[in-house]
Amino acid sequence: MRFIADLHIHSKYSRATSRDLDLEHLSRWAQLKGITVVGTGDFTHPGWFAELREKLVPAEDGLFRLRDDLAAAIEPEVPAACRRPVRFLLQVEISNIYKKGDRVRKVHNLVYMPDFDAAERFRRALARIGNLDSDGRPILGLDSRDLLEITLSVSERAYLIPAHIWTPWFSALGARSGFDSIEECFGDLAEHIFAVETGLSSDPPMNWRLSGLDRYTLVSNSDAHSPGKLGREAVVFDTELSYDGIRDALRSGRAPEFLGTVEFFPEEGKYHYDGHRACGVRLAPEEAEALEGRCPVCGRSVTRGVLSRVEELADRPAGARPDRAAPYRSLIPLPEVLAEVRGVGVGARAVERDYARLLGRLGSELEVLEAVPLEDIERQGGPLVAEAVRRVRAGEVRIAAGYDGEYGTIRLFEPGERERFGGQTGISLAGAEVDLFGGAVDSGAGGGKAKRREASRRRASEPVARVVEAAAPYGSTDGLDPDQRRAVEAGPGPLLVLAGPGTGKTRVLTHRIAHIVERLGVAPERVLAVTFTNRAAGEMAERLAALLGAGTAERVAVRTFHGFGLEVLGAEIGRLGRAPDFEVFDEEAAQRVLTEATGVKGAEARRLADAIARAKERLLAPEEVGDPELAERYRAYQAALEAAGGVDYDDLIRLTVAVFRTAPDVLERWRARVEWLLIDEYQDVSGAQYELVRLLAPPEAGSGRGPNLTAVGDPDQAIYGFRGADPRYVRRFTEDYPTATVVRLRQNYRSTSTILRAARQVVTGGRDDTEEVLRARGRPAGEPIVVYEAPTEAAEAETIVHAIERMVGGTSLFSLDSGRVESDAAARCNGFGEVAVLYRTHAQARALEEAFARSGIPYQRVSTPPDESEPFDPRAERVALMTLHAAKGLEFPVVFIAGCEEGLLPYQPPGDAKEVDEGEERRLFYVGLTRAQRRLILTRARRRVLYGQYREPGPSPFLGAIDPALLAVERWSPPRRERDQQLQLFGE
């Protein structure tokens, strides 16, 4: 069966699309255009997916048709000459934006599914990666290769086609954000790609110049953002009308099943030539090359067009035709033809009437443009219409090429030519059967494709150098710096390493362990490294494997404090009269035990749990807490835990200390096993953890030199006082261990000197103390810290989202076409995973999450500690949203800190008269500032609703400690709204 298919469209749930993009309008317009199979578009969107399931019913295998009652309702709106069965195929376009090879890649991909069950599995997989609700074309921080892997895992019949592969900004081969080959984009799974979509700004002869594309079937689709744009590019088949029939024809790419494509004239596409739209500059590739890619008006970089990019990668001369080349024909949409005939705009009512009349008498649009005899067209439309169609078929067109988001302009007639044909269309309006448009025809430039212009046969230009900002290496390129080396190579005995942010403390710890094992000859089993989170322990284990080899590294015990306690209790808890098969209750389970044991519920139960935890961190038994009511509830809770055969997290440390205190033989055995003890983040130890360290490494151990204990910490990063951490322990390390060696790490490998100076001023209250200040290593001073003031928390959140959109170089063509992101800025962009938004309280996340959900930018909310973050696919890149506490130990090229206001920094809960620990709040802000590597943006709202209270806070007093010369203050301005330009974007 011969039929035409348009397998890339959108729905009304995509941004900048027509409200008429529903199934009824798509079915009607498919018949008017002459299309049999239409992609559904956007099936990952929950609203559109529900509508598809409600309105579509199964037809041929893997294809669907409109429900009978809905099809009957639109039948009167379709001329009898155009009526045909219309089938739908499940399709979606995914926007993949991710970092690969030190560049941000932005690739759009088309995914096809054979049935609703497979589509639902695919939707569930993507929902773990990004937000599917905000846009029919979801934005995912996922490698294209990984999207293909997910596609193939969902169904063996599913397939993926890279979309509009030459578009500069969002495509597999795009000049700005793509790759140099399909294989480079999809890696080891590239063999599963059998077709590529060439896009509006290229045609098959341009693609034939690349031998690397010979193995792929070249397809074309409309990428319609309104129903009237259906079929401006399409695929022609002669195969079984089924999902597998279409897929197999695409895989073959040969006649008789695959008959070729209907094309735009490539010059009419929005990105055919190089250019700079803001200055009205259109450049052929050789002209842009002569100007070194710079706009001759403003001097900024021009947007490289598809023709220039094709010539850069081409390895064949113009005119080459590979053996597998399929036929194609270039057309101009009929409304554009009629508009030129009449000398009016394409949206004029006269054009609508002419279009309706011709289709009512002659058949569908593609039939009129391709097959209807010219004499029939002349009889119904007049000699000028017939001549216009003849010229379209012959490729006799004149086009000013499109560039930098501007469609090319196309002409069929020279000035004065229409008059020679009498200036009349000859179309009679009598007897028009159907009003096709209901009062409005889709407007905007349409498309078609022409034979190649001379410009597309010019010699290949020299490759244009890309501007790539490479990430600076972590640590010195020459190895350890002198301070790090002193710490690593320090001999036996106690060692305190004062390691400020970004000074390479994990590097020092792991290299010291390697030094102990390889240089000092200590058995790996005799080394214990302790940290606070599973994430930190995992990172340490990975680095040790790289230094020592996996086999040796696995013999080193790398534990969290709680993990070590669990290991000891698993072997020794019988010493306390407890059963060895105990269970560790998580926070939720422990809360249930507490409620059942005490009858306390809700917020009061949480406060009680915190009070008991603080007592355990201080190693206090119930009778030692001093508060009779707390003592009674504490005692009841512990009895209930023991009766249930369980312990809570705090018991893992408390009971381990109890075992060591009550069983000296056990303690000596564990001391013998832990010959070398290394503690990370020593400033964060609680009273119980401090006692555990002293039991394992008492000052009197060893040969008069103290224990082999290494503590790495930074008092300025002590921020967990609410958990019982006490920075006094790191400060008195040399009192506990008088023979200790102290090494301070002064080289910061993370942040710019501007960020470091500001952070130091905050933590010292405005003082730059030269002795302890960190020195930026390998980074320039950097740009000023931006301080931004918004009127409300909603405006603050929206501004952050729009700023991130600019930083990633735009998330859609709207970002570029609207001017919200300049092309120069888009060339120097960050990936989603390089950006973090920090805030003081969880309550602030609400406005931020709402803004991110509306934007479609993928994000992840990280909890405290990081090990308890929401689950997500680790392959995906997301903007990190987290509290300042959760950010400890992390770093990002770009950091926003929201809510830099009184009452939040320092934090003073409304109605809470408890005295604020300003020192810890300063340290917390210091930690936030020093998470930033290159760019730091501090924001605040003049009005905010927090905990149900309306507030008008002033700026955080901590900002006053920063030298104004380090800051750049920006004013708020309302972000541009997409709706302002939505209609003109229907032509995308």
Side-chain angles (χ1 to χ4, degrees):
M1 175 181 176
R2 185 184 184 280
F3 60 91
I4 297 175
D6 186 349
L7 302 179
H8 178 186
I9 70 160
H10 290 279
S11 76
K12 61 188 177 183
Y13 290 94
S14 278
R15 294 175 187 234
T17 58
S18 168
R19 297 172 184 171
D20 289 341
L21 266 175
D22 55 32
L23 292 169
E24 294 88 340
H25 282 90
L26 286 168
S27 181
R28 178 158 65 95
W29 274 97
Q31 295 178 72
L32 298 178
K33 296 287 186 176
I35 297 170
T36 299
V37 180
V38 183
T40 60
D42 301 352
F43 73 70
T44 56
H45 190 280
W48 185 236
F49 190 71
E51 197 165 325
L52 294 175
R53 297 202 100 163
E54 177 192 356
K55 294 182 176 181
L56 295 180
V57 295
E60 297 80 8
D61 183 37
L63 301 180
F64 302 86
R65 60 179 175 83
L66 202 59
R67 214 173 59 210
D68 288 342
D69 58 322
L70 301 175
I74 65 170
E75 184 174 353
E77 302 176 16
V78 181
C82 297
R83 291 174 189 165
R84 69 183 60 233
V86 175
R87 299 295 184 254
F88 291 92
L89 186 152
L90 294 172
Q91 164 261 320
V92 66
E93 181 181 11
I94 306 294
S95 177
N96 295 82
I97 302 180
Y98 55 100
K99 197 76 174 283
K100 190 170 187 176
D102 292 330
R103 291 182 58 197
V104 173
R105 314 290 184 164
K106 302 177 184 178
V107 181
H108 286 189
N109 293 294
L110 301 170
V111 174
Y112 300 89
M113 289 290 156
D115 51 59
F116 279 109
D117 288 344
E120 176 60 31
R121 292 194 297 273
F122 185 72
R123 291 179 64 249
R124 286 199 299 267
L126 296 196
R128 294 191 290 270
I129 295 170
N131 178 11
L132 303 184
D133 295 2
S134 66
D135 195 348
R137 179 179 60 200
I139 302 168
L140 304 179
L142 183 69
D143 193 304
S144 295
R145 181 260 176 216
D146 296 333
L147 177 68
L148 176 56
E149 182 177 49
I150 293 171
T151 301
L152 298 173
S153 71
V154 164
S155 169
E156 62 181 13
R157 299 168 68 196
Y159 60 99
L160 181 151
I161 294 178
H164 44 69
I165 59 171
W166 295 107
T167 301
W169 304 105
F170 299 97
S171 68
L173 301 181
R176 288 291 195 180
S177 56
F179 299 85
D180 287 347
S181 69
I182 300 299
E183 290 77 8
E184 185 184 359
C185 180
F186 292 95
D188 61 313
L189 297 182
E191 64 182 22
H192 296 281
I193 302 294
F194 49 78
V196 296
E197 184 186 70
T198 59
L200 303 183
S201 295
S202 79
D203 63 1
M206 293 171 64
N207 289 271
W208 294 341
R209 295 185 60 192
L210 277 75
S211 62
L213 294 180
D214 288 354
R215 64 177 294 266
Y216 304 106
T217 302
L218 305 180
V219 302
S220 295
N221 299 292
S222 69
D223 192 4
H225 284 220
S226 63
K229 299 301 183 187
L230 279 178
R232 58 183 179 179
E233 293 203 330
V235 187
V236 186
F237 295 97
D238 190 353
T239 187
E240 176 186 78
L241 185 63
S242 68
Y243 177 92
D244 289 338
I246 292 171
R247 184 196 61 190
D248 293 345
L250 290 173
R251 190 188 299 275
S252 162
R254 296 179 181 272
E257 294 86 3
F258 182 82
L259 298 183
T261 54
V262 176
E263 301 279 338
F264 236 44
F265 286 99
E267 296 88 344
E268 197 179 359
K270 294 166 66 174
Y271 293 100
H272 187 71
Y273 264 13
D274 297 6
H276 192 203
R277 181 177 50 176
C279 296
V281 172
R282 175 194 288 114
L283 300 169
E286 69 274 11
E287 294 172 320
E289 182 183 9
L291 294 167
E292 297 182 338
R294 293 287 171 181
C295 173
V297 176
C298 70
R300 292 182 176 180
S301 296
V302 299
T303 297
R304 291 186 64 204
V306 170
L307 180 59
S308 175
R309 178 64 167 161
V310 169
E311 292 187 344
E312 177 188 348
L313 298 182
D315 56 0
R316 289 179 179 144
R321 185 182 181 94
D323 294 339
R324 198 166 179 257
Y328 76 99
R329 58 265 206 195
S330 301
L331 301 175
I332 301 172
L334 186 56
E336 294 183 26
V337 174
L338 298 174
E340 185 166 1
V341 165
R342 284 195 176 269
V344 297
V346 74
R349 187 62 182 172
V351 173
E352 298 173 7
R353 291 195 300 265
D354 292 349
Y355 186 80
R357 182 65 177 175
L358 285 176
L359 267 59
R361 295 291 181 88
L362 300 176
S364 70
E365 178 178 336
L366 288 175
E367 290 174 322
V368 171
L369 289 171
E370 291 189 279
V372 173
L374 291 175
E375 56 267 28
D376 292 349
I377 295 175
E378 183 173 353
R379 188 163 45 250
Q380 298 297 330
L384 194 55
V385 173
E387 174 62 14
V389 172
R390 186 199 69 76
R391 293 186 181 191
V392 170
R393 293 178 182 179
E396 297 174 8
V397 300
R398 297 160 181 83
I399 309 176
Y403 67 98
D404 196 16
E406 289 283 347
Y407 281 108
T409 56
I410 192 164
R411 289 186 298 141
L412 293 166
F413 298 101
E414 293 289 354
E417 274 198 284
R418 286 196 304 271
E419 286 70 19
R420 292 202 295 273
F421 287 87
Q424 301 294 323
T425 66
I427 297 178
S428 168
L429 297 180
E433 296 93 343
V434 180
D435 178 2
L436 300 181
F437 307 103
V441 70
D442 176 64
S443 61
K449 272 200 175 165
K451 44 174 155 171
R452 301 288 305 279
R453 302 288 303 274
E454 183 65 26
S456 64
R457 292 192 290 269
R458 294 182 177 127
R459 64 178 176 82
S461 61
E462 292 299 317
V464 177
R466 299 184 182 91
V467 178
V468 179
E469 184 176 0
Y474 184 79
S476 168
T477 55
D478 298 323
L480 301 171
D481 67 39
D483 291 334
Q484 291 174 336
R485 190 175 300 281
R486 284 181 58 216
V488 167
E489 296 179 351
L495 169 68
L496 174 64
V497 181
L498 296 172
T503 55
K505 70 176 181 62
T506 305
R507 178 183 176 86
V508 166
L509 264 174
T510 52
H511 276 74
R512 179 156 175 78
I513 293 171
H515 177 79
I516 291 168
V517 171
E518 294 188 329
R519 298 294 180 86
L520 301 186
V522 176
E525 294 83 0
R526 301 296 186 187
V527 180
L528 170 64
V530 181
T531 186
F532 281 83
T533 67
N534 291 327
R535 178 189 57 78
E539 180 184 356
M540 194 180 300
E542 288 178 5
R543 294 200 188 191
L544 282 174
L547 291 171
L548 294 171
T552 303
E554 288 175 358
R555 295 161 59 194
V556 177
V558 180
R559 304 284 188 269
T560 64
F561 269 104
H562 291 101
F564 177 72
L566 179 61
E567 183 177 354
V568 173
L569 292 180
E572 314 289 355
I573 197 171
R575 296 293 187 129
L576 299 176
R578 299 283 298 270
D581 56 343
F582 64 92
E583 179 182 358
V584 180
F585 286 10
D586 62 19
E587 186 176 342
E588 183 179 351
Q591 193 78 43
R592 286 196 300 268
V593 171
L594 178 66
T595 297
E596 292 170 2
T598 65
V600 178
K601 301 178 181 179
E604 186 181 354
R606 288 190 292 274
R607 286 192 292 270
L608 176 58
D610 287 342
I612 293 174
R614 298 296 84 78
K616 290 184 176 183
E617 285 164 358
R618 295 164 58 199
L619 298 175
L620 298 178
E623 59 273 12
E624 297 174 310
V625 297
D627 180 336
E629 184 178 11
L630 174 59
E632 180 181 350
R633 290 173 170 174
Y634 180 3
R635 190 178 295 107
Y637 168 62
Q638 282 303 116
L641 269 181
E642 188 168 350
V647 298
D648 62 20
Y649 284 133
D650 297 303
D651 283 336
L652 293 175
I653 308 300
R654 183 181 68 88
L655 294 179
T656 298
V657 170
V659 167
F660 285 166
R661 282 177 170 176
T662 58
D665 58 324
V666 171
L667 176 59
E668 286 304 320
R669 190 167 65 249
W670 281 91
R671 282 180 180 172
R673 286 179 57 179
V674 182
E675 185 178 341
W676 287 77
L677 176 62
L678 301 95
I679 309 292
D680 190 17
E681 304 284 10
Y682 197 72
Q683 77 280 348
D684 291 335
V685 297
S686 67
Q689 292 162 343
Y690 173 70
E691 182 61 20
L692 178 59
V693 171
R694 285 178 60 84
L695 286 167
L696 285 171
E700 65 276 7
S703 305
R705 61 173 179 254
N708 296 322
L709 169 65
T710 297
V712 180
D714 179 13
D716 289 336
Q717 296 187 78
I719 60 173
Y720 294 118
F722 67 95
R723 288 195 205 154
D726 193 335
R728 291 178 300 175
Y729 300 134
V730 69
R731 292 192 180 105
R732 72 186 198 197
F733 187 89
T734 53
E735 298 176 16
D736 293 338
Y737 304 98
T739 61
T741 299
V742 179
V743 178
R744 183 182 297 278
L745 305 183
R746 293 180 173 84
Q747 301 291 334
N748 176 282
Y749 296 90
R750 175 187 300 162
S751 306
T752 66
S753 60
T754 297
I755 293 170
L756 294 179
R757 281 191 60 197
R760 193 69 208 164
Q761 289 166 359
V762 165
V763 81
T764 62
R767 187 180 74 255
D768 267 343
D769 49 350
T770 56
E771 172 62 24
E772 297 187 1
V773 70
L774 296 174
R775 301 180 183 90
R777 177 76 175 266
R779 290 194 182 277
E783 58 190 69
I785 298 166
V786 174
V787 177
Y788 183 84
E789 184 180 280
T792 65
E793 72 263 37
E796 177 190 43
E798 288 292 340
T799 301
I800 290 172
V801 165
H802 287 300
I804 293 172
E805 183 181 17
R806 291 193 297 273
M807 289 174 182
V808 300
T811 58
S812 67
L813 285 173
F814 170 79
S815 307
L816 300 157
D817 291 348
S818 67
R820 194 160 72 199
V821 176
E822 291 288 341
S823 59
D824 271 5
R828 304 184 301 273
C829 47
N830 295 96
F832 294 128
E834 295 180 322
V835 182
V837 183
L838 314 181
Y839 40 84
R840 178 61 180 84
T841 70
H842 289 291
Q844 293 171 254
R846 178 185 56 80
L848 290 164
E849 289 194 88
E850 290 175 356
F852 273 93
R854 286 191 295 270
S855 75
I857 291 176
Y859 72 94
Q860 180 199 9
R861 185 171 174 182
V862 180
S863 62
T864 306
D867 309 76
E868 299 170 7
S869 304
E870 63 186 60
F872 77 105
D873 192 316
R875 296 173 292 188
E877 295 179 19
R878 299 180 173 191
V879 175
L881 270 60
M882 65 183 78
T883 64
L884 289 162
H885 284 101
K888 179 71 167 60
L890 303 177
E891 59 184 37
F892 302 88
V894 180
V895 169
F896 293 80
I897 301 182
C900 297
E901 306 154 15
E902 291 177 325
L904 286 175
L905 286 166
Y907 179 54
Q908 181 65 63
D912 190 342
K914 185 173 65 176
E915 185 176 348
V916 175
D917 186 343
E918 184 174 317
E920 180 158 321
E921 292 291 311
R922 279 189 183 276
R923 295 193 295 270
L924 181 60
F925 194 38
Y926 171 80
V927 165
L929 298 175
T930 54
R931 299 310 94 192
Q933 294 173 320
R934 296 196 302 265
R935 304 181 70 181
L936 179 60
I937 302 95
L938 311 177
T939 69
R940 79 175 189 93
R942 292 195 298 270
R943 296 187 301 278
R944 183 184 298 275
V945 177
L946 193 64
Y947 300 114
Q949 295 188 13
Y950 179 85
R951 301 157 45 107
E952 293 189 359
S956 167
F958 296 157
L959 296 180
I962 302 175
D963 182 350
L966 304 177
L967 306 176
V969 179
E970 294 189 1
R971 295 178 177 272
W972 181 83
S973 59
R976 298 183 68 174
R977 301 181 67 85
E978 290 192 11
R979 200 66 188 168
D980 297 341
Q981 298 201 12
Q982 189 170 17
L983 291 177
Q984 71 186 50
L985 288 171
F986 286 174
E988 286 190 357

